[in-house]
Amino acid sequence: MSIPISVILEELKTTPTSVIPLLRSLHNKTLLQSLSKSEITHLTSRILNLAKSHQPYPQWCGINLIRVISSDYSILAGYGSIFLDQLLKLVENSQGKILVNCIDVIGFICSEIRGKPGLTREILTPKLGPIISLFIEKLHLAPFEILKNLVVAIRFHPTTFRPYGNKLSAKLVRLVNDVGFVNYPSKLKDVVYEALAVLPGIEKSEPEQKWSNDVFGLIGEIKDVVEVFQEFVHFKDDQDLIDNLRKLEKSGKTESKMFEDLNIDLNSPNSIFQLSNRIDISLGLLKSYLITESQFTVKVPLGTIITVCEVLTGLNLRMLRFKGDIRDEDVKSIIRSSIANIHHSVVLFLSDIVDVYKGALLLHFHSILGMLEVIIPMKGNKVSYDDLISNEGLIIDLLIFVAKYVSLVKHLDDNTQLLPFVDVSMILVEPRSKPQKEKEQKQDGQKKNKKQKKKGNAAALSDILSHEHLFLESIPASTVSAVRKFINVIIKTITLSPSQHYKVLRYLIIESINIRHINQQHSVPQELKQLLIDCVLFPGYDRVNILPIVSSILKGDQLLSVFNNPRFPPLPRYVRQEELVQQDLDEEEEDEEVEETNDIGSKKRKLDELMAEAGNPVQDNEPEPEQDDSKLFKKSKQEVNEVETNTLEEVVQDKVPVKETPKAVEEIVETVSASVPVETVPASSSTISHADDDSEEEGDEIEIPELDLGESSDEE
Amino acid sequence: MDESIFYIPTPSKNSASHATSIHTSHHHITFRASSSPRNGAYLTGFGPGERLFTCSATKALIEVYSWGKEGVDQRIPLPEALTCLTVVPQPVSASDELEKLTKFRLPWLLAGGTASGKIYIWELTSGDLVSVRDAHYQGITTVKFSPCGTFLVTGGDDARVIVWSVVDLLTDDKAKPYFSITDHTLPITDLLLSDSGVVHDLRLYTTSTDCTVRVYDVLSKSLLTTFVLPYGVNCVAKDPANRALYVGLVNGMIRTIPLYTINKTTSVLESIGGMNKIITIDNDVNLANTFTHHHAPITQLDISLDGTSLISGDETGVVYASDIVTKQIIKTFTKCDSAIAYLKVETLPKSIDSGITTVDKKHRMIPPFKRVLRSDEEHNLFVDIPGHHLSDNSSFEQWLDQKQQEEVEFKNLSDVASEVKQVEEKTYNKDLELKLQRLSAVYSELRTKHEQLIKDHANLLDRVDNQ
């Protein structure tokens, strides 16, 4: 539905009614390439006119049209510089949507130019400085978009960026120190962190040293914040915490502080949250340093970082007592939730770095699982249900991290460290009726009734009494999904204790039956399906096999079909069955063949001589000209690509019919002999003793039966 | 696409290792003066950025060669000479996003066995010695990681095979072996672990000079099958689809051991072995299942991608690629002067040597290996942090959709087409303002005049009164 260029030009004379069809047509590469020089001049000048307009809509049209046409190399080469000038002018004078679009298009043009040396020299290099300085100046207007582009600029043009580094870092630090920063959208926070993390890359000498200083600086600041908690709780209750803090003292030297000092006042307890906010920001920043793609080799102090996590999780009111002067319940509960926030930050932090550090983190397997275990809220020896539900977000992220981490190991013999997490996961997906509370409610019912009647709210209460099921708290989807992911990893990795194993299976089966019942297709969603299949694949503690149950739940699953109709792998078939049938015929024609393939015969003789010299008996060469599968790789490019997709069986089968007539055999032999003499062997091979082919013949004739492998130990 | 092999000989006067294509005449690289004891080398891959690790039975050194550089790149001193080594790549987690290849990249762990029966494990990115364990009573002949990196298996001259859980080795100083095998009676020569997506299917194949090949189920710690061969077994390779085993014997023969057969009485295809069966592989008089082109004990075996060619190296340094069906030689590779110590087959894309190579300008070394066991807090990694391998899924259509959405925001969708014309209003106001200003100026002038007059008048009256 491409619009011809004349119509497009006509439309662009004034503000178009809609720019979308024009964008779509101009995206067509062939249209742009077919334009004459004058048409291009017209097109670009009209688009620039739109962009120069004072009205927002034509400006917006112009900007986006510029983006589309600059995907064409010749236009970009000719007008790229003018486009950038115009866009920069717009950036200077606009805000909101237009600004965001401008930034986006500037980013796009830069990425189109990048990597092409000529264009970079002509257009990008002279413009990049102004672009960067303008972006930094306008940072507050569209921080997310601008930072995204600046990060790319830092990464690809560290030298050009160098003069602006301090300015940007000052702006970013101010942003991070903003009181509300912790509540910024997480995408924006991440890009701010990322920008700070790539900044060391612009250092002229030893960027890795700057990187390392920054990381240790952050570690030092985290340590300082943790020490504030000394004012609230007795650190001396936990010697490990003190030891770990001492370790950090040695490594974390803070030269210049990035963050401003905190101002905590127990009389305004809300200020205590500044502590957890600061830790959240520091860990977010530390995470960015650890996972942002680096252009240089960095020395990651992973051991120290794990110690930081240990310190933060060591702040735990299960181990530490409040100091005597903290009496106010409000303050206590704020400290409690502030600590829970800190734990949440640690879990998210670990969850992010495990993707990058994988095996290196496995070296700390027991300490990491150990420190996470204490996060689980306990009451006596049991998991505290209420605390668990009130910290659901934290627990979910905890399970997601444990799943990610444990999946690095394919099998664990010792399951003790993971069992508490399994318990927690099962509690989370229990139906959330709270019988005790309801009873309490009913007991208080009369009081409330009276009150509410007075307010005239009796109708609302009657709903609670009559439609109780509507007031059962449903389990959030994110919890369900996280728990399932966790279970999926756990059943693959460890053998659960029998009771837990049955609990998990029970949950899965009931869930899948429920969900199957309530949808029109009566099918099970992918996530549950995978879980059920994994239960089959990793039976674990399994006295009664779950296969029949899963098979009846998941009818028509491909993998289960292989399980229920076990089969052996298709064996290679090599032997000429047709030849055996036509043996008599072949024998008659053999003489002819030998004559026809005389030249091959001589080569064969040579080969035999070679073999004889090598001391090899000739008869061990079972000549099989058509079995030359190794040629898969010898053929020309295109052929190789085609062959790749064929299975061995197909390759072999394709060639077997050739043998049906002796004539066909001759042809094949001739072509092969021309190209690869060493392997050519006369087709008369069928005469070579059939006795030694017994097994192979059988292998050929018999189709693979579908066996019940239930008892075969090899397959289990 | 191309398939290539790499092979390295045991030490001799002119030892050199080669990486060569199997199917074409293309030769990738020769590492000069490289050699290793049997099973004492590991190539991380083919192409720029990859490395070859070799050990030496006489010197306490690991020599590292970088792809693209023919000579030794780095010599890492060790506390003790290794007789064999292996390397395992980083483990893969469930939610792995694909990462870009970094220029400086190292595998996860390097494990080596010594003549005194010790295993050493180093973490390559930090150089930390993460585990030292007295494992065998005599020298270790081979160490292998399972493809998933979860298990490490060692085999020794003391005829024992030990399976270790890697996490246990890394985190527990006193970790016990996961599974210890004492079924063999003579030194272990080779180990093979199957690639299995489901860890329950992980099989361990062990070979020994006691003429047996044993197959174990690792997780259930049970012996599945014992194959008894007529000669001592030096090495083993496996069909990718698990249909047959290929074993290299001390007499220079390679035997095919089919893992499925047709039961002669019932004509039903059956799998061979399992249930702790002992299966005797008889002398193959007709040589139907035997490759006979080698004349010296086979030392290394490997198999091609499609399972149709077998790559074999022997004690005289000869390396052949042979077709499994016809048992003929497809290719003879450059001969080495001494026994083949290690062999690796890999399938590569076409572009490996041609086009843009991402050669690391600033070549970086592997951190030196530590001699003492690591402590927890001192764990410093030297890494290039990889970026995400972004598959570009932001299509033009999506972009256009977004623009469509934005365009709507500029449009007037209400049925009231109102336009506020501020321009005229402003001029009108200005006029009024000007008029007002003028009037007030005149008024104040008038007023002051009036006040002046009243004053004058009052003065006049006063004067009249006085008079």
Side-chain angles (χ1 to χ4, degrees), chain B residues 78 112 131 220 236 333:
Chain B
L78 304 175
S131 184
S220 68
V236 59
F333 296 94

Side-chain angles (χ1 to χ4, degrees), chain A residues 17-20 23-24 27 56-57 60 64 67-68 97-98 101 104 211 247 289-294 296-304 355-360 362-366 404 407-411 413 492 537-539 568-572 574 607 614 616-617 620-622 624 627 629-630 632-634 637 644 648 678-679 681 692 698-699 702 704-705 707 713-716, chain B residues 1-3 23-24 90-96 99-100 104 108 123 130 148 150-151 167 170-171 178 197-201 203 217 219 221 224 241 243 260 262 264 267-272 274-275 286-288 292-293 295 305-306 308-309 323-330 347 350 362 364 374 376-377 379-387 396-397 399-400 403-404 406-407 409-411:
Chain A
T17 43
S18 169
V19 79
I20 301 298
L23 292 176
R24 189 170 284 138
H27 180 61
Y57 179 64
W60 178 85
N64 287 307
R67 184 198 192 269
V68 172
K97 194 124 281 170
I98 302 290
N101 270 286
D104 180 41
W211 186 94
K247 270 186 224 162
Y289 272 91
L290 295 180
I291 67 169
T292 306
E293 181 181 1
S294 67
F296 42 86
T297 305
V298 290
K299 181 179 167 189
V300 181
L302 198 65
T304 316
D355 286 335
V356 175
Y357 294 96
K358 300 184 188 107
L362 278 184
L363 265 68
H364 306 272
F365 194 75
H366 295 303
K404 242 191 221 178
S407 69
L408 290 172
V409 188
K410 297 294 169 281
H411 179 78
D413 216 19
K492 284 182 186 171
L537 289 177
F538 299 87
F568 287 127
L571 296 188
Y574 308 121
L607 179 71
N616 267 339
D620 72 303
N621 298 326
E622 273 191 54
E624 282 286 326
Q627 292 303 330
D629 288 316
S630 60
L632 272 180
F633 294 93
K634 281 183 187 166
K637 247 192 224 163
E644 267 173 52
L648 171 68
V678 186
E679 290 154 31
V681 192
D692 58 358
E698 283 175 22
I702 287 162
I704 296 149
L707 287 183
S713 64
D714 205 358
E715 290 298 308
E716 279 177 8
Chain B
M1 195 176 84
D2 187 21
E3 207 169 28
H23 305 284
T24 64
Q90 285 284 352
V92 184
S93 75
S95 62
D96 252 8
E99 287 169 349
K100 277 189 218 158
F104 173 71
W108 182 29
E123 187 189 30
V130 288
C148 51
T150 305
F151 296 104
V167 175
L170 298 186
T171 52
Y178 179 80
V198 178
V199 76
H200 291 258
D201 293 338
R203 299 273 183 279
D217 183 304
L219 277 215
K221 307 178 185 178
L224 297 178
R243 297 170 298 192
Y260 298 95
I262 287 140
K264 290 225 167 101
S267 296
V268 169
L269 190 67
E270 286 176 352
S271 89
I272 296 177
M275 311 281 285
N286 295 320
L287 300 176
T292 52
H293 37 257
H295 306 298
L305 166 82
D306 55 0
T308 57
S309 353
D323 188 66
I324 283 173
V325 179
T326 60
K327 307 201 165 43
Q328 287 188 343
I329 298 169
I330 301 171
T347 313
K350 244 239 141 101
K362 199 168 133 196
R364 279 152 291 192
R374 72 180 193 106
D376 257 347
E377 59 264 35
H379 187 200
N380 296 317
L381 309 177
F382 293 85
V383 285
D384 273 13
I385 300 169
F396 179 75
E397 291 305 318
W399 181 79
L400 207 60
K403 294 300 141 188
Q404 239 161 349
E406 283 178 18
E407 190 177 45
E409 291 168 31
F410 285 104
K411 303 271 164 177

Side-chain angles (χ1 to χ4, degrees), chain A residues 81-290:
Chain A
S81 180
I82 305 170
F83 288 158
L84 280 178
D85 280 340
Q86 181 54 37
L87 289 170
L88 284 178
K89 255 183 225 160
L90 281 171
V91 170
E92 232 167 312
N93 302 317
S94 59
Q95 47 185 318
K97 194 124 281 170
I98 302 290
L99 179 66
V100 170
N101 270 286
C102 267
I103 294 162
D104 180 41
V105 175
I106 291 176
F108 177 78
I109 293 180
C110 291
S111 70
E112 285 289 299
I113 294 176
R114 203 168 288 127
K116 294 163 188 144
L119 278 189
T120 311
R121 193 176 53 239
E122 295 301 320
I123 303 175
L124 194 57
T125 316
K127 289 278 178 308
L128 200 59
I131 292 178
I132 293 171
S133 73
L134 191 61
F135 274 9
I136 294 179
E137 195 183 306
K138 297 280 169 182
L139 186 65
H140 54 283
L141 290 176
F144 179 69
E145 287 77 11
I146 286 184
L147 281 175
K148 243 183 8 185
N149 277 298
L150 284 180
V151 166
V152 177
I154 297 171
R155 198 164 276 157
F156 288 101
H157 316 279
T159 327
T160 320
F161 206 95
R162 198 164 294 143
Y164 308 97
N166 286 337
K167 209 171 168 192
L168 177 66
S169 101
K171 272 212 162 191
L172 290 176
V173 168
R174 213 175 309 139
L175 207 59
V176 169
N177 272 312
D178 187 76
V179 188
F181 182 77
V182 80
N183 296 322
Y184 284 7
S186 59
K187 266 190 180 174
L188 176 59
K189 275 198 281 184
D190 281 345
V191 80
V192 171
Y193 295 150
E194 192 181 351
L196 278 166
V198 291
L199 266 180
I202 63 169
E203 293 295 313
K204 199 171 183 181
S205 58
E206 296 190 336
E208 56 273 10
Q209 194 53 46
K210 168 89 169 67
W211 186 94
S212 176
N213 286 347
D214 285 359
V215 167
F216 279 112
L218 282 170
I219 291 173
E221 298 211 26
I222 292 175
K223 190 210 75 188
D224 292 347
V225 177
V226 171
E227 278 170 348
V228 176
F229 279 90
Q230 238 166 342
E231 304 297 318
F232 311 138
V233 290
H234 290 286
F235 275 15
K236 66 176 187 318
D237 290 355
D238 187 355
Q239 189 57 41
D240 287 351
L241 184 60
I242 296 172
D243 291 347
N244 281 334
L245 275 174
R246 208 164 287 150
K247 270 186 224 162
L248 290 185
E249 199 127 353
K250 274 185 222 157
S251 51
K253 292 162 229 140
T254 343
E255 282 161 15
S256 57
K257 281 202 167 184
M258 177 167 189
F259 297 108
E260 290 160 8
D261 289 342
L262 289 173
N263 188 7
I264 312 286
D265 184 359
L266 279 185
N267 293 320
S268 59
N270 226 3
S271 64
I272 293 173
F273 277 122
Q274 284 179 35
L275 294 171
S276 58
N277 291 349
R278 176 59 55 85
I279 298 262
D280 182 60
I281 294 169
S282 317
L283 279 180
L285 201 47
L286 190 58
K287 169 207 82 182
S288 269
Y289 272 91
L290 295 180

Side-chain angles (χ1 to χ4, degrees), chain B residues 122-133:
Chain B
W122 285 274
E123 187 189 30
L124 285 164
T125 46
S126 61
D128 283 352
L129 177 58
V130 288
S131 184
V132 187
R133 206 54 60 91

